[in-house]
mmCIF file with all atom_site columns, all heavy atoms in Angstrom:
data_model
loop_
_atom_site.group_PDB
_atom_site.id
_atom_site.type_symbol
_atom_site.label_atom_id
_atom_site.label_alt_id
_atom_site.label_comp_id
_atom_site.label_asym_id
_atom_site.label_entity_id
_atom_site.label_seq_id
_atom_site.pdbx_PDB_ins_code
_atom_site.Cartn_x
_atom_site.Cartn_y
_atom_site.Cartn_z
_atom_site.occupancy
_atom_site.B_iso_or_equiv
_atom_site.pdbx_formal_charge
_atom_site.auth_seq_id
_atom_site.auth_comp_id
_atom_site.auth_asym_id
_atom_site.auth_atom_id
_atom_site.pdbx_PDB_model_num
ATOM 1  N N   . VAL A 1 10  ? 59.876 7.294  272.613 1.00 74.00 ? 10  VAL A N   1
ATOM 2  C CA  . VAL A 1 10  ? 60.729 7.484  271.444 1.00 74.00 ? 10  VAL A CA  1
ATOM 3  C C   . VAL A 1 10  ? 59.866 7.746  270.219 1.00 74.00 ? 10  VAL A C   1
ATOM 4  O O   . VAL A 1 10  ? 60.176 8.609  269.386 1.00 74.00 ? 10  VAL A O   1
ATOM 5  C CB  . VAL A 1 10  ? 61.653 6.274  271.235 1.00 74.00 ? 10  VAL A CB  1
ATOM 6  C CG1 . VAL A 1 10  ? 62.388 6.383  269.889 1.00 74.00 ? 10  VAL A CG1 1
ATOM 7  C CG2 . VAL A 1 10  ? 62.661 6.157  272.378 1.00 74.00 ? 10  VAL A CG2 1
ATOM 8  N N   . LEU A 1 104 ? 53.382 34.319 266.730 1.00 94.00 ? 104 LEU A N   1
ATOM 9  C CA  . LEU A 1 104 ? 53.480 35.415 267.690 1.00 94.00 ? 104 LEU A CA  1
ATOM 10 C C   . LEU A 1 104 ? 52.171 36.207 267.737 1.00 94.00 ? 104 LEU A C   1
ATOM 11 O O   . LEU A 1 104 ? 51.719 36.630 268.799 1.00 94.00 ? 104 LEU A O   1
ATOM 12 C CB  . LEU A 1 104 ? 54.658 36.336 267.340 1.00 94.00 ? 104 LEU A CB  1
ATOM 13 C CG  . LEU A 1 104 ? 56.046 35.692 267.466 1.00 94.00 ? 104 LEU A CG  1
ATOM 14 C CD1 . LEU A 1 104 ? 57.104 36.630 266.937 1.00 94.00 ? 104 LEU A CD1 1
ATOM 15 C CD2 . LEU A 1 104 ? 56.343 35.324 268.918 1.00 94.00 ? 104 LEU A CD2 1
ATOM 16 N N   . GLY A 1 106 ? 49.216 35.048 267.066 1.00 92.00 ? 106 GLY A N   1
ATOM 17 C CA  . GLY A 1 106 ? 48.212 34.249 267.733 1.00 92.00 ? 106 GLY A CA  1
ATOM 18 C C   . GLY A 1 106 ? 48.365 34.284 269.246 1.00 92.00 ? 106 GLY A C   1
ATOM 19 O O   . GLY A 1 106 ? 47.374 34.402 269.974 1.00 92.00 ? 106 GLY A O   1
ATOM 20 N N   . VAL A 1 148 ? 55.476 18.558 291.747 1.00 83.00 ? 148 VAL A N   1
ATOM 21 C CA  . VAL A 1 148 ? 55.352 17.609 290.653 1.00 83.00 ? 148 VAL A CA  1
ATOM 22 C C   . VAL A 1 148 ? 53.884 17.436 290.265 1.00 83.00 ? 148 VAL A C   1
ATOM 23 O O   . VAL A 1 148 ? 53.546 17.440 289.062 1.00 83.00 ? 148 VAL A O   1
ATOM 24 C CB  . VAL A 1 148 ? 55.976 16.273 291.051 1.00 83.00 ? 148 VAL A CB  1
ATOM 25 C CG1 . VAL A 1 148 ? 55.700 15.209 289.982 1.00 83.00 ? 148 VAL A CG1 1
ATOM 26 C CG2 . VAL A 1 148 ? 57.479 16.415 291.234 1.00 83.00 ? 148 VAL A CG2 1
ATOM 27 N N   . SER A 1 151 ? 52.703 20.469 288.373 1.00 85.00 ? 151 SER A N   1
ATOM 28 C CA  . SER A 1 151 ? 53.244 20.477 287.017 1.00 85.00 ? 151 SER A CA  1
ATOM 29 C C   . SER A 1 151 ? 52.479 19.526 286.093 1.00 85.00 ? 151 SER A C   1
ATOM 30 O O   . SER A 1 151 ? 52.172 19.864 284.938 1.00 85.00 ? 151 SER A O   1
ATOM 31 C CB  . SER A 1 151 ? 54.729 20.113 287.052 1.00 85.00 ? 151 SER A CB  1
ATOM 32 O OG  . SER A 1 151 ? 55.267 20.062 285.757 1.00 85.00 ? 151 SER A OG  1
ATOM 33 N N   . LEU A 1 196 ? 65.090 11.751 277.627 1.00 77.00 ? 196 LEU A N   1
ATOM 34 C CA  . LEU A 1 196 ? 65.718 11.879 276.334 1.00 77.00 ? 196 LEU A CA  1
ATOM 35 C C   . LEU A 1 196 ? 66.589 13.134 276.270 1.00 77.00 ? 196 LEU A C   1
ATOM 36 O O   . LEU A 1 196 ? 67.689 13.105 275.691 1.00 77.00 ? 196 LEU A O   1
ATOM 37 C CB  . LEU A 1 196 ? 64.642 11.949 275.238 1.00 77.00 ? 196 LEU A CB  1
ATOM 38 C CG  . LEU A 1 196 ? 63.872 10.654 274.947 1.00 77.00 ? 196 LEU A CG  1
ATOM 39 C CD1 . LEU A 1 196 ? 62.803 10.909 273.889 1.00 77.00 ? 196 LEU A CD1 1
ATOM 40 C CD2 . LEU A 1 196 ? 64.809 9.555  274.490 1.00 77.00 ? 196 LEU A CD2 1
ATOM 41 N N   . ILE A 1 257 ? 43.389 11.429 265.678 1.00 70.00 ? 257 ILE A N   1
ATOM 42 C CA  . ILE A 1 257 ? 44.814 11.727 265.502 1.00 70.00 ? 257 ILE A CA  1
ATOM 43 C C   . ILE A 1 257 ? 44.927 13.068 264.807 1.00 70.00 ? 257 ILE A C   1
ATOM 44 O O   . ILE A 1 257 ? 44.369 13.295 263.743 1.00 70.00 ? 257 ILE A O   1
ATOM 45 C CB  . ILE A 1 257 ? 45.479 10.639 264.655 1.00 70.00 ? 257 ILE A CB  1
ATOM 46 C CG1 . ILE A 1 257 ? 45.285 9.265  265.308 1.00 70.00 ? 257 ILE A CG1 1
ATOM 47 C CG2 . ILE A 1 257 ? 46.973 10.941 264.494 1.00 70.00 ? 257 ILE A CG2 1
ATOM 48 C CD1 . ILE A 1 257 ? 45.820 9.171  266.696 1.00 70.00 ? 257 ILE A CD1 1
#
Side-chain angles (χ1 to χ4, degrees):
V10 172
L104 294 174
V148 172
S151 177
L196 289 177
I257 304 301

